[in-house]
Amino acid sequence: MRDRLLSPASSNALKYIFLFSIAASLLYTTQHLLGLSRGTRLGSFPAITTRTAVDEPALSVAALQQRYLGVQRVTWSNSKGEKESLTEDIVLDKVFSDAMGPSKVIPYYFRAQDTAIDKEEVTIATLVTQNRFKVLSRLASHYKGPVSVAIHINDDDSKQQILTELHALYDENEDMRRYVDLHLVVDKFDRQFNMWRNVAKFFARTDYLMMLDVDFYLCTDFRKALKSQPQLMEELRSGRAAVVVPAFEFIKEKDGEDWRDFPTTKEALMDIVMEDRIDMFHRSWKRGHGSTNYTRWYASEMPYKVTDYNYSYEPYVIFKKEGTPWCDERFIGYGANKAACLYEIYLAGIDYWVLPNDFLIHQTHHYMEDTRAKERKYNKKLYDYYREEVCLRYARMIIAADQWEMPIANNIRRECAKIKGFSDVISKIHSS
């Protein structure tokens, strides 16, 4: 009966509308599952449907590349004004060539929407694993400034779930969308911490950055403090200084679980220091943060220079992006990785200065102690060799530049003289 009521033209029109609806639905579903339809307006980051192993293919690195607007190229002009270019993959393979690979780096997977950034802002450069996504979101809302974060994703079936959670994170928090540049590192190698730090630094968009572990809560406004210290700021601009923000940790783990209870002034911090409820971070490993000289910090009102440096020192520091050394990517896993970064910064002639009224507090979380113990053992051996290597490398560069007797060589002369045989080698280099 209904067939007789429709004309042939109407019937054909309905058929085409029906077919178009099916095609559009299939296209939308495919884009949604593969994440190819990432929106650009505020809040329009569609979630990726969790994959089932039965009827959906694994999300490939190629699909991630497509999400990142296809294959990118790095272009520059030569002396004749002609355009030269290389694929971004080749450039990044070289940039991170000391890391384990193959590895796929996808920069600005999410790009911060706040583009009016003061170049003298301090970008928080950090690395985050899946279990700390919520802490990253909290950091973005608290800091309300530029953040450059490297996220590692294992190149296996877990990619889909991790990306789903990342998209949800950006959907839920406007501050993530506004402030956070997020860079993916996709490979099969866990805990390449120094490579991930280099990714976060490389793509930071301001002149200065703070190398921070995401578990630390920013209790004070160190940016305001820096601006109130013009001489220290000038040292930072010159590339001659890195600025330490002292790190603390509650004695009882349960006291460090709720950041809302943390002190936000030095006076309030000192109250719980005197009650023996809080102390320097990892006080059982004094070499890690002891060079900050907490006894001196408690009484200080002005910035002061670190004078008792040791090679295990690993504070959280603000430094200039351009001209500072990169973290050595041969350090894989726990132990000595951050200390190696800061050791090379120190040997490059950069002094550490401590802010007198600013501080960080560690937010309690539990570590994989068995894994950490094994990796520390391996990295300790690597660090011993590394220190000799980097001392000789910087010594040769400074001597070749005829700067061995200049202030830039003070740190290397003092620190590397502790290595057996170093002074003899330097004498031979001088006499050759």
Side-chain angles (χ1 to χ4, degrees):
M1 181 72 173
R2 255 177 298 178
D3 292 340
R4 289 197 293 267
L5 292 175
L6 292 173
S7 68
S10 298
S11 179
N12 286 336
L14 285 174
K15 179 173 71 175
Y16 288 127
I17 291 171
F18 178 69
L19 290 174
F20 178 78
S21 298
I22 292 176
S25 297
L26 287 172
L27 178 62
Y28 174 79
T29 302
T30 301
Q31 289 179 321
H32 186 66
L33 289 173
L34 292 180
L36 303 180
S37 58
R38 193 178 79 181
T40 55
R41 67 180 173 82
L42 189 64
S44 63
F45 298 108
I48 303 170
T49 304
T50 303
R51 185 179 68 84
T52 61
V54 177
D55 56 5
E56 294 176 21
L59 190 65
S60 67
V61 175
L64 289 177
Q65 180 68 53
Q66 284 302 314
R67 185 198 307 278
Y68 175 56
L69 304 179
V71 177
Q72 306 295 300
R73 297 190 71 85
V74 178
T75 304
W76 67 96
S77 298
N78 62 24
S79 59
K80 299 178 181 179
E82 300 166 337
K83 295 292 184 182
E84 307 275 4
S85 71
L86 288 171
T87 65
E88 185 184 73
D89 283 348
I90 290 176
V91 173
L92 294 182
D93 281 349
K94 177 56 181 173
V95 169
F96 304 110
S97 58
D98 285 340
M100 295 179 70
S103 184
K104 176 64 181 174
V105 177
I106 302 179
Y108 304 109
Y109 179 80
F110 287 120
R111 182 184 289 270
Q113 295 173 339
D114 189 357
T115 57
I117 304 174
D118 180 354
K119 281 296 185 180
E120 289 211 327
E121 257 282 22
V122 178
T123 295
I124 299 292
T126 190
L127 52 97
V128 177
T129 51
Q130 183 181 7
N131 64 334
R132 311 307 289 162
F133 284 174
K134 293 295 184 183
V135 183
L136 172 64
S137 182
R138 186 186 309 150
L139 172 65
S141 293
H142 178 56
Y143 187 58
K144 294 192 183 300
V147 177
S148 177
V149 57
I151 302 281
H152 176 250
I153 296 182
N154 277 311
D155 191 10
D156 58 25
D157 288 348
S158 68
K159 289 198 298 290
Q160 187 86 12
Q161 181 59 37
I162 294 173
L163 290 170
T164 298
E165 292 181 20
L166 278 177
H167 278 249
L169 205 65
Y170 274 76
D171 276 337
E172 293 165 1
N173 188 348
E174 180 182 356
D175 294 320
M176 287 288 295
R177 299 191 294 271
R178 182 174 179 182
Y179 298 114
V180 180
D181 288 329
L182 189 146
H183 323 291
L184 297 185
V185 181
V186 187
D187 57 36
K188 296 181 181 294
F189 309 106
D190 286 331
R191 296 189 291 284
Q192 291 204 86
F193 297 134
N194 278 0
M195 187 263 198
W196 303 347
R197 287 187 176 105
N198 286 343
V199 170
K201 176 184 176 182
F202 191 80
F203 296 109
R205 292 191 278 161
T206 62
D207 291 343
Y208 309 104
L209 59 113
M210 181 182 198
M211 191 164 65
L212 183 72
D213 290 349
V214 74
D215 288 307
F216 279 84
Y217 185 75
L218 307 173
C219 296
T220 56
D221 187 351
F222 64 80
R223 291 177 289 182
K224 182 178 179 181
L226 269 177
K227 291 176 181 177
S228 70
Q229 300 287 346
Q231 288 183 316
L232 185 58
M233 195 65 208
E234 186 53 38
E235 289 290 305
L236 191 63
R237 288 190 188 100
S238 71
R240 295 187 299 264
V243 179
V244 176
V245 181
F248 288 82
E249 183 175 45
F250 281 96
I251 309 302
K252 294 180 179 179
E253 287 190 349
K254 65 179 181 65
D255 289 342
E257 291 176 350
D258 192 346
W259 56 272
R260 288 164 293 197
D261 295 332
F262 290 0
T264 56
T265 65
K266 186 174 182 178
E267 181 182 13
L269 174 72
M270 290 305 300
D271 287 342
I272 58 176
V273 167
M274 299 305 293
E275 294 169 1
D276 199 29
R277 291 180 53 209
I278 201 168
D279 205 335
M280 61 177 279
F281 182 59
H282 284 177
R283 70 174 180 176
S284 61
W285 175 241
K286 189 174 180 179
R287 294 175 64 86
H289 290 262
S291 293
T292 297
N293 192 342
Y294 283 74
T295 302
R296 181 176 181 181
W297 186 82
Y298 295 149
S300 292
E301 293 296 332
M302 295 296 294
Y304 61 89
K305 186 177 176 179
V306 170
T307 56
D308 187 23
Y309 175 84
N310 81 82
Y311 63 80
S312 295
Y313 190 41
E314 50 179 16
Y316 297 97
V317 296
I318 302 159
F319 58 98
K320 193 172 183 178
K321 177 182 177 180
E322 185 177 349
T324 50
W326 299 85
C327 294
D328 195 293
E329 294 167 357
R330 291 172 294 177
F331 288 86
I332 309 295
Y334 295 105
N337 54 77
K338 182 150 52 53
C341 300
L342 295 164
Y343 186 72
E344 191 161 346
I345 287 174
Y346 185 70
L347 294 192
I350 298 169
D351 292 318
Y352 292 119
W353 288 79
V354 184
L355 281 176
N357 294 305
D358 293 272
F359 58 94
L360 316 165
I361 295 181
H362 184 247
Q363 300 171 85
T364 298
H365 77 100
H366 300 288
Y367 299 102
M368 301 178 292
E369 289 300 336
D370 289 343
T371 301
R372 290 165 70 89
K374 292 175 183 176
E375 291 177 345
R376 282 195 190 103
K377 180 180 178 181
Y378 302 141
N379 278 341
K380 182 182 183 301
K381 292 182 179 180
L382 175 59
Y383 195 28
D384 288 341
Y385 290 120
Y386 168 79
R387 286 169 48 231
E388 293 184 13
E389 173 196 313
V390 75
C391 276
L392 290 171
R393 176 157 49 90
Y394 272 88
R396 290 183 68 92
M397 289 191 298
I398 289 173
I399 290 170
D402 199 23
Q403 295 178 320
W404 188 250
E405 301 301 329
M406 295 183 180
I408 192 173
N410 287 347
N411 293 347
I412 191 170
R413 289 199 309 266
R414 182 169 50 248
E415 183 61 27
C416 295
K418 301 172 185 176
I419 296 176
K420 185 177 180 180
F422 177 79
S423 298
D424 292 338
V425 172
I426 295 305
S427 296
K428 291 176 182 178
I429 294 175
H430 271 301
S431 61
S432 62

